[in-house]
Amino acid sequence: MIGPREPTLDNSDTWLVVPLYNESSVIFDVVSEALLTFPKIVCVDDGSTDSSAERAEQAGAYVVRHPINLGQGAALQTGFDYVIRDSTARFAVTFDSDGQHLTADAARMVERLRNEDLDVILGSRFLDNRTSASPMKRAVLKLAIKFTNLTTGVRLSDAHNGLRAFTVEGLARIRIRQNRMAHASEIVAQIGRTRLRYAEEPVHIVYTDYSRSKGQSLWNSVNILVELILK
Amino acid sequence: MDPQLLIKLVLLLGLGAIALLILWPGRGARRLALRRISLLLLVACAAVAVVFPQLSNAVATLFGVGRGADLLLYGLVVCFVGYVIATRAHHSRIDIQVTELARAQALAQAVEPGSIHG
C-alpha cells in the first residue's frame, strides 16, 4: 500500500538547494536523511571556515563552493543557476542546512507542483499550529508579513520561511540580488512582480536548541529592514 | 525674520544637490564630469579660504552665521554627508561585482549536475 500523502515518484527530477555555512556538525545527517527522499541535493557552501563542504560531499551531495562568504541570498542564487544547468531538472526546493525543515514537507510541496497549475509553493509556519515559536518571535514575524504583503502585493501568512518549492520555469524568473538576509522578501517581491502562480503549504519548523542557537535573532529583523530600504 | 534663514537655505540646497547627484540617472560620463567639477570647485573654495581667512568671516556674516569657523564646519558636514553616501553607493556596486565574480567562479569549478548519481 502506498500512503495517500507519500510521493509516488523518486523525485529524480527535483533538486534540493541547500545554502551551507558553517554547519559541519549537522550537515552530514541533514543531507543523508534528505537523500532518502531527494536523490539530487546541491549544497552551496558559502565560504564555510569549517569542514561543512567536505561533510556534505561525504554524505552524497553535490557541492558548489563560494570562494568567499557572500551571504545566503547569493548562495541560493548560485544554487538556482546550478539547477538550471541540469536539463532534466523540473523542480527545485530551497531547504535549510541546520535540520529545521522536514523532507516530508518538501516532498508534499513538490507533489503539489506536479498536480496543480502552480509555479511556486511557499512553506508557512502559521497555517497550522504545529510550530511553536516564542510570542516575541511570532510578533516580529507577523509584522514582517504585514510589511511584505503591503510592499509586494503577494498575500502570504509567513514571509520568511526558507522552505520553498519552485518549478524550473518559475525559478528561471527569480533573480536574487540581496546577498544577505533580505533575500526572502526579495523572492516574494519577485513572485509578485513576475506574476508567478503561488500557493502556501503548512510546514513544520523544528526549533531545536541547535537551530535556536544558530537561527535568526530578532536583531536580524532590523538588519533585514535596513537592507530592504537602503539596498 | 529668522536671521539664520539664509544659511539654512544654503545648507539644505547643498544637501539637496547631493541627493540629486545620487539619484541622477544620467550616463556615466556626465556623472563623472559633474563629480570632478564639484570636487575642483571644492578645492578652489578651500584654497581661497586658506589665502584669505578673513573672507570666510565676511561670507559667514553675509549668511547670518556668527563666525567663519562655523561656516566651515557646516560646509564640512555637508561634504561629509555627500562623501558617506557616495562611498556607500560605490561600495554596493563593488559588492555586486564581487558577488557575480565569486558566484561565476564557484559554478565554473563545480562538478556537473548528474555526475554523481548518473
Side-chain angles (χ1 to χ4, degrees), chain A residues 15 39 60 62 64-68 70 74 77-78 81-82 85-86 175 179 230, chain B residues 88 92 98-100 102-103 105-108 110-117:
Chain A
W15 281 90
Y62 293 80
V64 182
R65 287 177 173 83
H66 281 173
I68 49 175
L70 296 171
Q77 185 58 52
T78 302
D81 289 351
Y82 189 77
R85 269 193 192 179
D86 179 3
R175 180 91 205 153
N179 279 1
L230 289 180
Chain B
R88 217 199 137 84
S92 74
V98 168
T99 300
E100 290 301 318
R103 292 188 43 242
Q105 195 262 5
L107 286 167
V111 296
E112 281 305 307
S115 59
I116 297 182
H117 304 283

PDB file of all heavy atoms in Angstrom, chain A residues 15 39 60 62 64-68 70 74 77-78 81-82 85-86 175 179 230, chain B residues 88 92 98-100 102-103 105-108 110-117:
ATOM      1  N   TRP A  15      15.633  19.021  -7.442  1.00  0.00           N
ATOM      2  CA  TRP A  15      16.851  19.369  -6.725  1.00  0.00           C
ATOM      3  C   TRP A  15      16.503  20.004  -5.392  1.00  0.00           C
ATOM      4  O   TRP A  15      15.632  20.860  -5.313  1.00  0.00           O
ATOM      5  CB  TRP A  15      17.691  20.367  -7.525  1.00  0.00           C
ATOM      6  CG  TRP A  15      18.497  19.765  -8.621  1.00  0.00           C
ATOM      7  CD1 TRP A  15      18.105  19.591  -9.920  1.00  0.00           C
ATOM      8  CD2 TRP A  15      19.823  19.256  -8.526  1.00  0.00           C
ATOM      9  NE1 TRP A  15      19.127  19.006 -10.629  1.00  0.00           N
ATOM     10  CE2 TRP A  15      20.196  18.800  -9.810  1.00  0.00           C
ATOM     11  CE3 TRP A  15      20.749  19.144  -7.476  1.00  0.00           C
ATOM     12  CZ2 TRP A  15      21.443  18.231 -10.071  1.00  0.00           C
ATOM     13  CZ3 TRP A  15      21.989  18.592  -7.732  1.00  0.00           C
ATOM     14  CH2 TRP A  15      22.325  18.134  -9.020  1.00  0.00           C
ATOM     15  N   PRO A  39      17.074  12.402  -4.364  1.00  0.00           N
ATOM     16  CA  PRO A  39      18.389  11.894  -4.743  1.00  0.00           C
ATOM     17  C   PRO A  39      19.354  12.970  -5.216  1.00  0.00           C
ATOM     18  O   PRO A  39      20.551  12.721  -5.276  1.00  0.00           O
ATOM     19  CB  PRO A  39      18.076  10.912  -5.878  1.00  0.00           C
ATOM     20  CG  PRO A  39      16.746  11.333  -6.400  1.00  0.00           C
ATOM     21  CD  PRO A  39      16.005  11.931  -5.256  1.00  0.00           C
ATOM     22  N   GLY A  60      26.975  12.718   0.224  1.00  0.00           N
ATOM     23  CA  GLY A  60      26.448  12.425  -1.110  1.00  0.00           C
ATOM     24  C   GLY A  60      25.816  13.594  -1.824  1.00  0.00           C
ATOM     25  O   GLY A  60      25.102  13.408  -2.811  1.00  0.00           O
ATOM     26  N   TYR A  62      25.963  17.182  -4.077  1.00  0.00           N
ATOM     27  CA  TYR A  62      26.801  17.981  -4.963  1.00  0.00           C
ATOM     28  C   TYR A  62      27.150  19.250  -4.193  1.00  0.00           C
ATOM     29  O   TYR A  62      26.270  19.840  -3.568  1.00  0.00           O
ATOM     30  CB  TYR A  62      26.039  18.375  -6.227  1.00  0.00           C
ATOM     31  CG  TYR A  62      25.699  17.213  -7.128  1.00  0.00           C
ATOM     32  CD1 TYR A  62      24.623  16.383  -6.853  1.00  0.00           C
ATOM     33  CD2 TYR A  62      26.463  16.963  -8.262  1.00  0.00           C
ATOM     34  CE1 TYR A  62      24.317  15.328  -7.688  1.00  0.00           C
ATOM     35  CE2 TYR A  62      26.164  15.917  -9.107  1.00  0.00           C
ATOM     36  CZ  TYR A  62      25.092  15.091  -8.813  1.00  0.00           C
ATOM     37  OH  TYR A  62      24.787  14.051  -9.630  1.00  0.00           O
ATOM     38  N   VAL A  64      28.800  23.080  -4.394  1.00  0.00           N
ATOM     39  CA  VAL A  64      29.347  24.225  -5.120  1.00  0.00           C
ATOM     40  C   VAL A  64      29.936  25.152  -4.068  1.00  0.00           C
ATOM     41  O   VAL A  64      29.276  25.468  -3.082  1.00  0.00           O
ATOM     42  CB  VAL A  64      28.248  24.966  -5.915  1.00  0.00           C
ATOM     43  CG1 VAL A  64      28.837  26.129  -6.692  1.00  0.00           C
ATOM     44  CG2 VAL A  64      27.536  24.008  -6.857  1.00  0.00           C
ATOM     45  N   ARG A  65      31.184  25.554  -4.282  1.00  0.00           N
ATOM     46  CA  ARG A  65      31.867  26.314  -3.226  1.00  0.00           C
ATOM     47  C   ARG A  65      32.066  27.776  -3.603  1.00  0.00           C
ATOM     48  O   ARG A  65      32.790  28.078  -4.539  1.00  0.00           O
ATOM     49  CB  ARG A  65      33.244  25.712  -2.970  1.00  0.00           C
ATOM     50  CG  ARG A  65      33.236  24.381  -2.233  1.00  0.00           C
ATOM     51  CD  ARG A  65      34.672  23.871  -2.131  1.00  0.00           C
ATOM     52  NE  ARG A  65      34.780  22.682  -1.308  1.00  0.00           N
ATOM     53  CZ  ARG A  65      34.546  21.446  -1.744  1.00  0.00           C
ATOM     54  NH1 ARG A  65      34.166  21.261  -2.989  1.00  0.00           N
ATOM     55  NH2 ARG A  65      34.678  20.420  -0.927  1.00  0.00           N
ATOM     56  N   HIS A  66      31.454  28.671  -2.845  1.00  0.00           N
ATOM     57  CA  HIS A  66      31.806  30.087  -2.977  1.00  0.00           C
ATOM     58  C   HIS A  66      33.210  30.282  -2.414  1.00  0.00           C
ATOM     59  O   HIS A  66      33.495  29.820  -1.317  1.00  0.00           O
ATOM     60  CB  HIS A  66      30.839  30.961  -2.173  1.00  0.00           C
ATOM     61  CG  HIS A  66      29.527  31.177  -2.854  1.00  0.00           C
ATOM     62  ND1 HIS A  66      28.477  31.814  -2.236  1.00  0.00           N
ATOM     63  CD2 HIS A  66      29.089  30.849  -4.090  1.00  0.00           C
ATOM     64  CE1 HIS A  66      27.445  31.873  -3.065  1.00  0.00           C
ATOM     65  NE2 HIS A  66      27.784  31.289  -4.193  1.00  0.00           N
ATOM     66  N   PRO A  67      34.083  30.988  -3.151  1.00  0.00           N
ATOM     67  CA  PRO A  67      35.442  31.195  -2.639  1.00  0.00           C
ATOM     68  C   PRO A  67      35.470  32.081  -1.396  1.00  0.00           C
ATOM     69  O   PRO A  67      36.398  32.013  -0.601  1.00  0.00           O
ATOM     70  CB  PRO A  67      36.164  31.872  -3.803  1.00  0.00           C
ATOM     71  CG  PRO A  67      35.090  32.451  -4.649  1.00  0.00           C
ATOM     72  CD  PRO A  67      33.894  31.585  -4.476  1.00  0.00           C
ATOM     73  N   ILE A  68      34.467  32.938  -1.232  1.00  0.00           N
ATOM     74  CA  ILE A  68      34.373  33.802  -0.048  1.00  0.00           C
ATOM     75  C   ILE A  68      32.932  33.798   0.432  1.00  0.00           C
ATOM     76  O   ILE A  68      32.024  33.400  -0.298  1.00  0.00           O
ATOM     77  CB  ILE A  68      34.785  35.262  -0.372  1.00  0.00           C
ATOM     78  CG1 ILE A  68      34.058  35.738  -1.632  1.00  0.00           C
ATOM     79  CG2 ILE A  68      36.289  35.387  -0.552  1.00  0.00           C
ATOM     80  CD1 ILE A  68      34.284  37.178  -1.976  1.00  0.00           C
ATOM     81  N   LEU A  70      29.470  35.133   0.918  1.00  0.00           N
ATOM     82  CA  LEU A  70      28.702  36.171   0.227  1.00  0.00           C
ATOM     83  C   LEU A  70      27.354  36.426   0.877  1.00  0.00           C
ATOM     84  O   LEU A  70      26.768  37.475   0.717  1.00  0.00           O
ATOM     85  CB  LEU A  70      28.473  35.769  -1.233  1.00  0.00           C
ATOM     86  CG  LEU A  70      29.706  35.633  -2.122  1.00  0.00           C
ATOM     87  CD1 LEU A  70      29.323  35.034  -3.453  1.00  0.00           C
ATOM     88  CD2 LEU A  70      30.356  36.988  -2.328  1.00  0.00           C
ATOM     89  N   ALA A  74      22.960  35.078  -1.979  1.00  0.00           N
ATOM     90  CA  ALA A  74      23.869  34.740  -3.072  1.00  0.00           C
ATOM     91  C   ALA A  74      23.998  33.226  -3.207  1.00  0.00           C
ATOM     92  O   ALA A  74      24.047  32.690  -4.321  1.00  0.00           O
ATOM     93  CB  ALA A  74      25.234  35.370  -2.826  1.00  0.00           C
ATOM     94  N   GLN A  77      21.024  31.912  -5.052  1.00  0.00           N
ATOM     95  CA  GLN A  77      21.055  32.218  -6.486  1.00  0.00           C
ATOM     96  C   GLN A  77      22.055  31.322  -7.205  1.00  0.00           C
ATOM     97  O   GLN A  77      21.789  30.849  -8.309  1.00  0.00           O
ATOM     98  CB  GLN A  77      21.390  33.693  -6.704  1.00  0.00           C
ATOM     99  CG  GLN A  77      21.325  34.131  -8.155  1.00  0.00           C
ATOM    100  CD  GLN A  77      19.946  33.889  -8.772  1.00  0.00           C
ATOM    101  OE1 GLN A  77      18.930  34.307  -8.228  1.00  0.00           O
ATOM    102  NE2 GLN A  77      19.904  33.185  -9.888  1.00  0.00           N
ATOM    103  N   THR A  78      23.197  31.057  -6.579  1.00  0.00           N
ATOM    104  CA  THR A  78      24.169  30.129  -7.176  1.00  0.00           C
ATOM    105  C   THR A  78      23.541  28.743  -7.333  1.00  0.00           C
ATOM    106  O   THR A  78      23.694  28.092  -8.370  1.00  0.00           O
ATOM    107  CB  THR A  78      25.435  30.036  -6.301  1.00  0.00           C
ATOM    108  OG1 THR A  78      25.991  31.336  -6.167  1.00  0.00           O
ATOM    109  CG2 THR A  78      26.462  29.111  -6.920  1.00  0.00           C
ATOM    110  N   ASP A  81      21.178  28.773 -10.279  1.00  0.00           N
ATOM    111  CA  ASP A  81      21.909  28.719 -11.544  1.00  0.00           C
ATOM    112  C   ASP A  81      22.398  27.300 -11.820  1.00  0.00           C
ATOM    113  O   ASP A  81      22.396  26.834 -12.961  1.00  0.00           O
ATOM    114  CB  ASP A  81      23.117  29.677 -11.506  1.00  0.00           C
ATOM    115  CG  ASP A  81      22.692  31.135 -11.548  1.00  0.00           C
ATOM    116  OD1 ASP A  81      21.494  31.389 -11.776  1.00  0.00           O
ATOM    117  OD2 ASP A  81      23.550  32.010 -11.344  1.00  0.00           O
ATOM    118  N   TYR A  82      22.814  26.614 -10.768  1.00  0.00           N
ATOM    119  CA  TYR A  82      23.305  25.248 -10.903  1.00  0.00           C
ATOM    120  C   TYR A  82      22.177  24.307 -11.355  1.00  0.00           C
ATOM    121  O   TYR A  82      22.351  23.507 -12.267  1.00  0.00           O
ATOM    122  CB  TYR A  82      23.880  24.778  -9.563  1.00  0.00           C
ATOM    123  CG  TYR A  82      24.602  23.455  -9.644  1.00  0.00           C
ATOM    124  CD1 TYR A  82      25.885  23.382 -10.170  1.00  0.00           C
ATOM    125  CD2 TYR A  82      24.006  22.277  -9.196  1.00  0.00           C
ATOM    126  CE1 TYR A  82      26.560  22.177 -10.252  1.00  0.00           C
ATOM    127  CE2 TYR A  82      24.669  21.070  -9.268  1.00  0.00           C
ATOM    128  CZ  TYR A  82      25.942  21.021  -9.796  1.00  0.00           C
ATOM    129  OH  TYR A  82      26.604  19.825  -9.879  1.00  0.00           O
ATOM    130  N   ARG A  85      21.215  24.527 -14.972  1.00  0.00           N
ATOM    131  CA  ARG A  85      22.149  23.831 -15.856  1.00  0.00           C
ATOM    132  C   ARG A  85      21.722  22.406 -16.175  1.00  0.00           C
ATOM    133  O   ARG A  85      22.113  21.848 -17.198  1.00  0.00           O
ATOM    134  CB  ARG A  85      23.489  23.691 -15.143  1.00  0.00           C
ATOM    135  CG  ARG A  85      24.465  24.776 -15.358  1.00  0.00           C
ATOM    136  CD  ARG A  85      25.760  24.237 -14.822  1.00  0.00           C
ATOM    137  NE  ARG A  85      26.773  25.237 -14.683  1.00  0.00           N
ATOM    138  CZ  ARG A  85      27.991  24.962 -14.205  1.00  0.00           C
ATOM    139  NH1 ARG A  85      28.268  23.725 -13.812  1.00  0.00           N
ATOM    140  NH2 ARG A  85      28.881  25.890 -14.118  1.00  0.00           N
ATOM    141  N   ASP A  86      20.994  21.793 -15.240  1.00  0.00           N
ATOM    142  CA  ASP A  86      20.599  20.394 -15.401  1.00  0.00           C
ATOM    143  C   ASP A  86      19.325  20.332 -16.243  1.00  0.00           C
ATOM    144  O   ASP A  86      18.251  20.719 -15.794  1.00  0.00           O
ATOM    145  CB  ASP A  86      20.353  19.767 -14.022  1.00  0.00           C
ATOM    146  CG  ASP A  86      19.903  18.316 -14.133  1.00  0.00           C
ATOM    147  OD1 ASP A  86      19.838  17.785 -15.258  1.00  0.00           O
ATOM    148  OD2 ASP A  86      19.602  17.720 -13.083  1.00  0.00           O
ATOM    149  N   ARG A 175      15.563  36.313  -9.664  1.00  0.00           N
ATOM    150  CA  ARG A 175      16.963  36.746  -9.683  1.00  0.00           C
ATOM    151  C   ARG A 175      17.248  37.449  -8.358  1.00  0.00           C
ATOM    152  O   ARG A 175      16.847  38.591  -8.171  1.00  0.00           O
ATOM    153  CB  ARG A 175      17.175  37.685 -10.866  1.00  0.00           C
ATOM    154  CG  ARG A 175      18.571  38.202 -11.000  1.00  0.00           C
ATOM    155  CD  ARG A 175      19.401  37.296 -11.893  1.00  0.00           C
ATOM    156  NE  ARG A 175      20.806  37.454 -11.557  1.00  0.00           N
ATOM    157  CZ  ARG A 175      21.716  36.508 -11.749  1.00  0.00           C
ATOM    158  NH1 ARG A 175      21.373  35.353 -12.251  1.00  0.00           N
ATOM    159  NH2 ARG A 175      22.957  36.703 -11.427  1.00  0.00           N
ATOM    160  N   ASN A 179      22.226  39.978  -1.189  1.00  0.00           N
ATOM    161  CA  ASN A 179      23.116  38.925  -0.735  1.00  0.00           C
ATOM    162  C   ASN A 179      22.791  38.418   0.652  1.00  0.00           C
ATOM    163  O   ASN A 179      22.892  37.235   0.930  1.00  0.00           O
ATOM    164  CB  ASN A 179      24.559  39.439  -0.721  1.00  0.00           C
ATOM    165  CG  ASN A 179      25.174  39.393  -2.089  1.00  0.00           C
ATOM    166  OD1 ASN A 179      24.509  39.003  -3.037  1.00  0.00           O
ATOM    167  ND2 ASN A 179      26.430  39.768  -2.176  1.00  0.00           N
ATOM    168  N   LEU A 230      17.631  50.468   2.219  1.00  0.00           N
ATOM    169  CA  LEU A 230      18.844  51.117   1.704  1.00  0.00           C
ATOM    170  C   LEU A 230      19.480  50.351   0.562  1.00  0.00           C
ATOM    171  O   LEU A 230      20.431  50.808  -0.028  1.00  0.00           O
ATOM    172  CB  LEU A 230      19.866  51.286   2.837  1.00  0.00           C
ATOM    173  CG  LEU A 230      19.502  52.328   3.889  1.00  0.00           C
ATOM    174  CD1 LEU A 230      20.576  52.398   4.954  1.00  0.00           C
ATOM    175  CD2 LEU A 230      19.331  53.693   3.251  1.00  0.00           C
TER     176      LEU A 230
ATOM    177  N   ARG B  88      29.127  54.846  -0.016  1.00  0.00           N
ATOM    178  CA  ARG B  88      28.182  53.751   0.173  1.00  0.00           C
ATOM    179  C   ARG B  88      27.727  53.187  -1.174  1.00  0.00           C
ATOM    180  O   ARG B  88      27.697  51.975  -1.382  1.00  0.00           O
ATOM    181  CB  ARG B  88      26.961  54.299   0.922  1.00  0.00           C
ATOM    182  CG  ARG B  88      26.370  53.341   1.899  1.00  0.00           C
ATOM    183  CD  ARG B  88      24.958  53.733   2.248  1.00  0.00           C
ATOM    184  NE  ARG B  88      24.173  52.524   2.247  1.00  0.00           N
ATOM    185  CZ  ARG B  88      24.098  51.714   3.287  1.00  0.00           C
ATOM    186  NH1 ARG B  88      24.706  52.006   4.395  1.00  0.00           N
ATOM    187  NH2 ARG B  88      23.400  50.608   3.213  1.00  0.00           N
ATOM    188  N   SER B  92      28.485  49.453  -2.675  1.00  0.00           N
ATOM    189  CA  SER B  92      27.480  48.443  -3.024  1.00  0.00           C
ATOM    190  C   SER B  92      27.655  47.997  -4.476  1.00  0.00           C
ATOM    191  O   SER B  92      27.363  46.839  -4.817  1.00  0.00           O
ATOM    192  CB  SER B  92      26.063  48.946  -2.741  1.00  0.00           C
ATOM    193  OG  SER B  92      25.678  49.883  -3.695  1.00  0.00           O
ATOM    194  N   VAL B  98      31.745  41.803  -6.966  1.00  0.00           N
ATOM    195  CA  VAL B  98      32.449  40.709  -6.285  1.00  0.00           C
ATOM    196  C   VAL B  98      31.554  39.478  -6.211  1.00  0.00           C
ATOM    197  O   VAL B  98      31.995  38.347  -6.447  1.00  0.00           O
ATOM    198  CB  VAL B  98      32.891  41.147  -4.866  1.00  0.00           C
ATOM    199  CG1 VAL B  98      33.354  39.944  -4.054  1.00  0.00           C
ATOM    200  CG2 VAL B  98      33.993  42.174  -4.952  1.00  0.00           C
ATOM    201  N   THR B  99      30.269  39.708  -5.909  1.00  0.00           N
ATOM    202  CA  THR B  99      29.329  38.598  -5.821  1.00  0.00           C
ATOM    203  C   THR B  99      29.239  37.847  -7.149  1.00  0.00           C
ATOM    204  O   THR B  99      29.348  36.618  -7.188  1.00  0.00           O
ATOM    205  CB  THR B  99      27.930  39.109  -5.431  1.00  0.00           C
ATOM    206  OG1 THR B  99      28.022  39.754  -4.167  1.00  0.00           O
ATOM    207  CG2 THR B  99      26.940  37.977  -5.350  1.00  0.00           C
ATOM    208  N   GLU B 100      29.056  38.603  -8.231  1.00  0.00           N
ATOM    209  CA  GLU B 100      28.938  37.968  -9.547  1.00  0.00           C
ATOM    210  C   GLU B 100      30.195  37.153  -9.867  1.00  0.00           C
ATOM    211  O   GLU B 100      30.124  36.031 -10.360  1.00  0.00           O
ATOM    212  CB  GLU B 100      28.715  39.032 -10.630  1.00  0.00           C
ATOM    213  CG  GLU B 100      27.349  39.695 -10.575  1.00  0.00           C
ATOM    214  CD  GLU B 100      26.220  38.682 -10.724  1.00  0.00           C
ATOM    215  OE1 GLU B 100      26.330  37.787 -11.572  1.00  0.00           O
ATOM    216  OE2 GLU B 100      25.233  38.785  -9.970  1.00  0.00           O
ATOM    217  N   ALA B 102      32.493  35.898  -7.768  1.00  0.00           N
ATOM    218  CA  ALA B 102      32.664  34.733  -6.901  1.00  0.00           C
ATOM    219  C   ALA B 102      31.690  33.621  -7.287  1.00  0.00           C
ATOM    220  O   ALA B 102      32.048  32.449  -7.319  1.00  0.00           O
ATOM    221  CB  ALA B 102      32.457  35.138  -5.440  1.00  0.00           C
ATOM    222  N   ARG B 103      30.457  34.017  -7.635  1.00  0.00           N
ATOM    223  CA  ARG B 103      29.456  33.014  -7.998  1.00  0.00           C
ATOM    224  C   ARG B 103      29.846  32.338  -9.312  1.00  0.00           C
ATOM    225  O   ARG B 103      29.731  31.130  -9.460  1.00  0.00           O
ATOM    226  CB  ARG B 103      28.076  33.656  -8.097  1.00  0.00           C
ATOM    227  CG  ARG B 103      27.550  34.123  -6.737  1.00  0.00           C
ATOM    228  CD  ARG B 103      26.107  34.581  -6.806  1.00  0.00           C
ATOM    229  NE  ARG B 103      25.363  33.656  -7.608  1.00  0.00           N
ATOM    230  CZ  ARG B 103      24.750  33.955  -8.736  1.00  0.00           C
ATOM    231  NH1 ARG B 103      24.742  35.184  -9.159  1.00  0.00           N
ATOM    232  NH2 ARG B 103      24.126  33.032  -9.409  1.00  0.00           N
ATOM    233  N   GLN B 105      32.827  31.976 -10.482  1.00  0.00           N
ATOM    234  CA  GLN B 105      33.969  31.103 -10.207  1.00  0.00           C
ATOM    235  C   GLN B 105      33.503  29.801  -9.561  1.00  0.00           C
ATOM    236  O   GLN B 105      33.954  28.714  -9.927  1.00  0.00           O
ATOM    237  CB  GLN B 105      34.955  31.851  -9.304  1.00  0.00           C
ATOM    238  CG  GLN B 105      36.332  31.236  -9.213  1.00  0.00           C
ATOM    239  CD  GLN B 105      36.495  30.377  -7.969  1.00  0.00           C
ATOM    240  OE1 GLN B 105      35.543  30.191  -7.243  1.00  0.00           O
ATOM    241  NE2 GLN B 105      37.686  29.848  -7.773  1.00  0.00           N
ATOM    242  N   ALA B 106      32.576  29.920  -8.599  1.00  0.00           N
ATOM    243  CA  ALA B 106      32.072  28.735  -7.909  1.00  0.00           C
ATOM    244  C   ALA B 106      31.413  27.771  -8.901  1.00  0.00           C
ATOM    245  O   ALA B 106      31.649  26.564  -8.872  1.00  0.00           O
ATOM    246  CB  ALA B 106      31.077  29.147  -6.825  1.00  0.00           C
ATOM    247  N   LEU B 107      30.588  28.342  -9.802  1.00  0.00           N
ATOM    248  CA  LEU B 107      29.881  27.492 -10.763  1.00  0.00           C
ATOM    249  C   LEU B 107      30.850  26.877 -11.774  1.00  0.00           C
ATOM    250  O   LEU B 107      30.675  25.729 -12.198  1.00  0.00           O
ATOM    251  CB  LEU B 107      28.800  28.301 -11.474  1.00  0.00           C
ATOM    252  CG  LEU B 107      27.570  28.590 -10.608  1.00  0.00           C
ATOM    253  CD1 LEU B 107      26.691  29.655 -11.240  1.00  0.00           C
ATOM    254  CD2 LEU B 107      26.772  27.314 -10.373  1.00  0.00           C
ATOM    255  N   ALA B 108      31.898  27.636 -12.136  1.00  0.00           N
ATOM    256  CA  ALA B 108      32.862  27.125 -13.112  1.00  0.00           C
ATOM    257  C   ALA B 108      33.617  25.915 -12.559  1.00  0.00           C
ATOM    258  O   ALA B 108      34.000  25.018 -13.303  1.00  0.00           O
ATOM    259  CB  ALA B 108      33.838  28.236 -13.508  1.00  0.00           C
ATOM    260  N   ALA B 110      32.424  23.807 -10.226  1.00  0.00           N
ATOM    261  CA  ALA B 110      31.548  22.768  -9.673  1.00  0.00           C
ATOM    262  C   ALA B 110      31.493  21.548 -10.594  1.00  0.00           C
ATOM    263  O   ALA B 110      31.669  21.663 -11.809  1.00  0.00           O
ATOM    264  CB  ALA B 110      30.143  23.337  -9.485  1.00  0.00           C
ATOM    265  N   VAL B 111      31.275  20.378  -9.994  1.00  0.00           N
ATOM    266  CA  VAL B 111      31.077  19.185 -10.813  1.00  0.00           C
ATOM    267  C   VAL B 111      29.735  19.303 -11.527  1.00  0.00           C
ATOM    268  O   VAL B 111      28.813  19.955 -11.044  1.00  0.00           O
ATOM    269  CB  VAL B 111      31.091  17.894  -9.958  1.00  0.00           C
ATOM    270  CG1 VAL B 111      32.447  17.699  -9.326  1.00  0.00           C
ATOM    271  CG2 VAL B 111      29.997  17.921  -8.917  1.00  0.00           C
ATOM    272  N   GLU B 112      29.646  18.689 -12.695  1.00  0.00           N
ATOM    273  CA  GLU B 112      28.419  18.779 -13.476  1.00  0.00           C
ATOM    274  C   GLU B 112      27.259  18.117 -12.736  1.00  0.00           C
ATOM    275  O   GLU B 112      27.443  17.063 -12.115  1.00  0.00           O
ATOM    276  CB  GLU B 112      28.611  18.071 -14.825  1.00  0.00           C
ATOM    277  CG  GLU B 112      29.375  18.899 -15.824  1.00  0.00           C
ATOM    278  CD  GLU B 112      28.748  20.264 -16.058  1.00  0.00           C
ATOM    279  OE1 GLU B 112      27.544  20.313 -16.371  1.00  0.00           O
ATOM    280  OE2 GLU B 112      29.443  21.286 -15.910  1.00  0.00           O
ATOM    281  N   PRO B 113      26.068  18.724 -12.802  1.00  0.00           N
ATOM    282  CA  PRO B 113      24.915  18.043 -12.206  1.00  0.00           C
ATOM    283  C   PRO B 113      24.690  16.710 -12.925  1.00  0.00           C
ATOM    284  O   PRO B 113      24.734  16.664 -14.139  1.00  0.00           O
ATOM    285  CB  PRO B 113      23.762  19.021 -12.434  1.00  0.00           C
ATOM    286  CG  PRO B 113      24.250  20.031 -13.402  1.00  0.00           C
ATOM    287  CD  PRO B 113      25.733  20.013 -13.377  1.00  0.00           C
ATOM    288  N   GLY B 114      24.461  15.657 -12.177  1.00  0.00           N
ATOM    289  CA  GLY B 114      24.248  14.362 -12.815  1.00  0.00           C
ATOM    290  C   GLY B 114      25.484  13.495 -12.807  1.00  0.00           C
ATOM    291  O   GLY B 114      25.420  12.311 -13.140  1.00  0.00           O
ATOM    292  N   SER B 115      26.637  14.051 -12.410  1.00  0.00           N
ATOM    293  CA  SER B 115      27.860  13.262 -12.465  1.00  0.00           C
ATOM    294  C   SER B 115      27.995  12.280 -11.307  1.00  0.00           C
ATOM    295  O   SER B 115      28.737  11.319 -11.388  1.00  0.00           O
ATOM    296  CB  SER B 115      29.084  14.178 -12.511  1.00  0.00           C
ATOM    297  OG  SER B 115      29.103  15.007 -11.371  1.00  0.00           O
ATOM    298  N   ILE B 116      27.260  12.504 -10.231  1.00  0.00           N
ATOM    299  CA  ILE B 116      27.377  11.592  -9.084  1.00  0.00           C
ATOM    300  C   ILE B 116      26.431  10.405  -9.207  1.00  0.00           C
ATOM    301  O   ILE B 116      26.838   9.253  -9.123  1.00  0.00           O
ATOM    302  CB  ILE B 116      27.103  12.323  -7.747  1.00  0.00           C
ATOM    303  CG1 ILE B 116      28.151  13.414  -7.511  1.00  0.00           C
ATOM    304  CG2 ILE B 116      27.166  11.318  -6.590  1.00  0.00           C
ATOM    305  CD1 ILE B 116      27.993  14.151  -6.194  1.00  0.00           C
ATOM    306  N   HIS B 117      25.162  10.693  -9.469  1.00  0.00           N
ATOM    307  CA  HIS B 117      24.179   9.606  -9.467  1.00  0.00           C
ATOM    308  C   HIS B 117      23.838   9.125 -10.872  1.00  0.00           C
ATOM    309  O   HIS B 117      22.890   8.384 -11.058  1.00  0.00           O
ATOM    310  CB  HIS B 117      22.911  10.063  -8.755  1.00  0.00           C
ATOM    311  CG  HIS B 117      23.185  10.550  -7.365  1.00  0.00           C
ATOM    312  ND1 HIS B 117      23.425   9.684  -6.334  1.00  0.00           N
ATOM    313  CD2 HIS B 117      23.297  11.788  -6.869  1.00  0.00           C
ATOM    314  CE1 HIS B 117      23.660  10.390  -5.235  1.00  0.00           C
ATOM    315  NE2 HIS B 117      23.594  11.664  -5.546  1.00  0.00           N
TER     316      HIS B 117
END
